[in-house]
Amino acid sequence: MTVAVHVPEELSARIPVEQRGAGLDRDAVRLLVSRGCEVSHHAFVELPRLLRAGDLLVVNTSPTLAAAVDGQAGHARVVVHFSTRGDDGRWAVELRDPDGKGTTRARAGGPAGLEVRLPGGVRLVLDEPLSARGDRLWWARVSGAGVLGLLREHGRPIRYSYTERDQPLSVYQTVFALPPADGTGSAEMPSAARPFTARLVAELVSRGVQFAPITLHTGVASAEAHEPPYPERFSVPEASARLINAARAGDGRVVAVGTTAVRAVESAAGPDGVVRAREGWTDLVVTPERGVRVVDGLLTGLHEPEASHLLMLEAIAGRAAVDRSYEEALRGLYLWHEFGDVHLILP
């Protein structure tokens, strides 16, 4: 980000919008709309009037896991954040220190061989760093029980220090979440879709807006260092690829709901801009240099000024437009983070 933006603490959304007052639903957040450097202010429930028949929303169906579990490493209490299941059965994990307020703070990664005792007699042993980029995330072997059963029984949603209290897992599921057959999901909520309600989806469909489901299981974000995302597992089904290509061939706009949807769709697009059904791992990082081949617009939350996601926004909208919209978001006292307000970038 080019402008020095400081997000005041009071602009962090500390609880979900539906808990802020009687009669509020998830769609009671605000919506900042930017078209180039033109910015306008709306309520999220106005979204059906801001899109048009033939537009296509690409939505992530990955459910959120209760990915945080308390453990013991030697005499020290730790919190394990389970990020991503590897093809070899190991899990990428981040170990963090409890901060005494119900959330966590960063701790030094490793060392290899460190054993963590988890509830139910489960043992986790760190193997090696996930990447040469840093030692925040480690591959770990888990014995004594399956990880997904451990998370169902003893896990809770990953929570960061700007939130006020623990929330039930249902608060972190979007209306599009579909549990896959293998039980996996996202370590953190694909939060751009959180404001959608069944009623709003029905209104969008009635106005001729279509939906293309994809899946990308998002790993644990870098809350402090704002690293680019690590490889993540994704799937773009044949039916969604056809819908995206048809929208692009007509006069519809392809609007990704969340940076995860951008990563999945752009990973399935060839240099010719045609999207083909694809699944596996993606290590794509969308930057202004790489640009986008398919996505015309993006619905997204408001990201920290240092966040690597902002490079993706620049790739879609351009640097001047992103700077302008963030200045307006601060001036308008929009709320940040996963329970906050949202930003619609249109061409």
Side-chain angles (χ1 to χ4, degrees), residues 158-173:
I158 289 174
R159 181 188 148 207
Y160 290 114
S161 58
Y162 49 77
T163 56
E164 191 171 287
R165 55 179 177 266
D166 282 351
Q167 297 284 351
L169 185 59
S170 58
V171 162
Y172 290 88
Q173 303 297 5

Side-chain angles (χ1 to χ4, degrees), residues 156-243:
R156 61 184 180 276
I158 289 174
R159 181 188 148 207
Y160 290 114
S161 58
Y162 49 77
T163 56
E164 191 171 287
R165 55 179 177 266
D166 282 351
Q167 297 284 351
L169 185 59
S170 58
V171 162
Y172 290 88
Q173 303 297 5
T174 74
V175 73
F176 304 112
L178 293 171
D182 64 1
T184 53
S186 287
E188 296 183 0
M189 171 176 53
S191 55
R194 191 183 189 280
F196 284 88
T197 60
R199 183 184 62 240
L200 193 78
V201 170
E203 187 183 346
L204 285 159
V205 170
S206 74
R207 286 171 175 262
V209 175
Q210 292 185 291
F211 289 83
I214 57 87
T215 303
L216 185 138
H217 296 316
T218 179
V220 175
S222 169
E224 289 84 17
H226 301 293
E227 304 156 0
Y230 284 92
E232 293 168 322
R233 196 189 294 274
F234 81 106
S235 168
V236 175
E238 177 67 43
S240 293
R242 282 204 300 268
L243 282 168

Side-chain angles (χ1 to χ4, degrees), residues 13-35:
R14 298 174 63 76
I15 57 172
V17 64
E18 64 274 19
Q19 296 175 15
R20 290 180 214 148
L24 296 178
D25 206 342
R26 288 179 173 217
D27 55 14
V29 295
R30 297 167 70 199
L31 178 65
L32 183 80
V33 179
S34 53
R35 296 176 177 85

